[in-house]
Amino acid sequence: MKPPTVFLGEMTNPEVEAFLKNHNAVIVPVGATEQHGPHGPLLTDVLIPQEVARRVAPRIGAVVAPPVNYALSYPHVGFTGLVHIKIPTFMAMIEDLCESFASIGFKRIIFLNGHYDNTYAIAYACANAAYKISKDVKAFPINYWDGFTHADADEFFGLKNGLHANAAETSAVLAINPALVDMDRANVEFPPFPDYTVTNTGPVHTAFFFTSPGSVYWATKSGTWGDARKSTPEMGERYIEAGVRSTLAVLDNIERTFAAMPPR
């Protein structure tokens, strides 16, 4: 007998029909195909949200759709192996996915993003799709790190320890599949950042890197963002579980917000 699965791509269409009789949520991992240093796989930003989604799905009664592997990598253009698509192409794909999943019968379409540069484009694409799908269907994005606590952020992204994101992401891949990481080639690189006057440096990233195509490529030799040499599977497991807690917390907040709104 075929074992049950949370992955939509592993299900038969009768299995999907049976699932939709009692559940209505689908998680779509979204990442990128781009460099992650000389040691990490190009699909790092896909593998992590997919694993988070795998762990979250049974807890919220969802299935996990095949991931979106190709996305926005403007700052990284130039690295060999990077596959980059443009904003209108990406948004059109997200909008089409919203309509398609809605037509199947899903009422909660959750784009679980693992690549920062995708964030706004997914949100605006879902906003466009809202005019084309039933009002009882909600399609929306979250980043798996959106609900990180201050302690999580300090441990995994703290500027003071030089980690940035690369050690945490590399660690997560080590926890998922260590065969995909070549720790003998792990390195530390990226020009030193200034002392920021704001605690959330996301706007800094968006304003400079995203609007400067190839900026990460011309600024570095390998594209490593921080110190990958500190990566461990143990850190990776903590990082993934932090992503699970974060995702569940944000989803709970979103659902309670939807429930509090008056009916239309």
Side-chain angles (χ1 to χ4, degrees):
M1 182 176 178
K2 182 184 175 189
T5 178
V6 298
F7 291 111
L8 183 70
E10 296 178 355
M11 300 169 73
T12 64
N13 60 301
E15 287 177 310
V16 178
E17 291 171 0
F19 172 85
L20 287 169
K21 288 180 180 179
N22 299 302
H23 304 87
N24 61 21
V26 59
I27 305 174
V28 188
V30 186
T33 300
E34 69 174 31
Q35 101 294 334
H36 276 77
H39 60 284
L42 297 172
L43 280 184
T44 291
D45 288 347
V46 175
L47 294 168
I48 299 172
Q50 182 171 255
E51 177 62 17
V52 171
R54 183 186 71 81
R55 300 185 188 197
V56 166
R59 306 190 196 187
I60 65 168
V63 291
V64 181
V68 177
N69 293 333
Y70 304 117
L72 309 179
S73 297
Y74 285 82
H76 303 265
V77 169
F79 287 103
T80 304
L82 179 143
V83 182
H84 169 64
I85 62 177
K86 296 177 181 176
I87 293 174
T89 308
F90 179 71
M91 288 184 60
M93 177 171 57
I94 297 297
E95 289 182 47
D96 284 353
L97 289 174
C98 290
E99 292 185 69
S100 184
F101 282 118
S103 70
I104 292 170
F106 289 100
K107 303 294 186 182
R108 291 289 185 269
I109 306 164
I110 304 158
F111 292 94
L112 186 60
N113 182 44
H115 179 61
Y116 179 85
D117 293 344
N118 298 336
T119 305
Y120 301 110
I122 301 174
Y124 296 144
C126 288
N128 286 343
Y131 291 99
K132 307 172 187 177
I133 57 181
S134 172
K135 286 183 171 57
D136 64 341
V137 178
K138 300 298 181 185
F140 55 89
I142 65 171
N143 300 317
Y144 68 79
W145 59 83
D146 281 342
F148 272 16
T149 65
H150 289 299
D152 292 332
D154 285 343
E155 178 179 5
F156 302 119
F157 302 144
L159 292 175
K160 64 179 180 296
N161 58 24
L163 291 177
H164 302 290
N166 201 277
E169 290 180 336
T170 300
S171 295
V173 178
L174 282 171
I176 295 166
N177 185 353
L180 297 178
V181 180
D182 184 357
M183 284 302 294
D184 290 337
R185 302 190 67 186
N187 67 335
V188 55
E189 189 185 22
F190 211 82
F193 289 109
D195 291 329
Y196 294 113
T197 56
V198 292
T199 55
N200 176 11
T201 59
V204 177
H205 181 285
T206 303
F208 179 80
F209 293 107
F210 196 67
T211 57
S212 304
S215 51
V216 172
Y217 175 68
W218 81 60
T220 73
K221 295 179 180 179
S222 70
T224 300
W225 193 287
D227 191 350
R229 300 170 302 176
K230 300 179 181 180
S231 306
T232 66
E234 293 75 21
M235 178 193 291
E237 184 61 28
R238 294 197 305 275
Y239 184 69
I240 292 168
E241 278 301 309
V244 170
R245 293 193 303 272
S246 163
T247 299
L248 289 170
V250 174
L251 287 175
D252 177 68
N253 191 284
I254 289 171
E255 289 299 329
R256 288 190 290 111
T257 301
F258 285 161
M261 298 297 289
R264 290 191 287 176

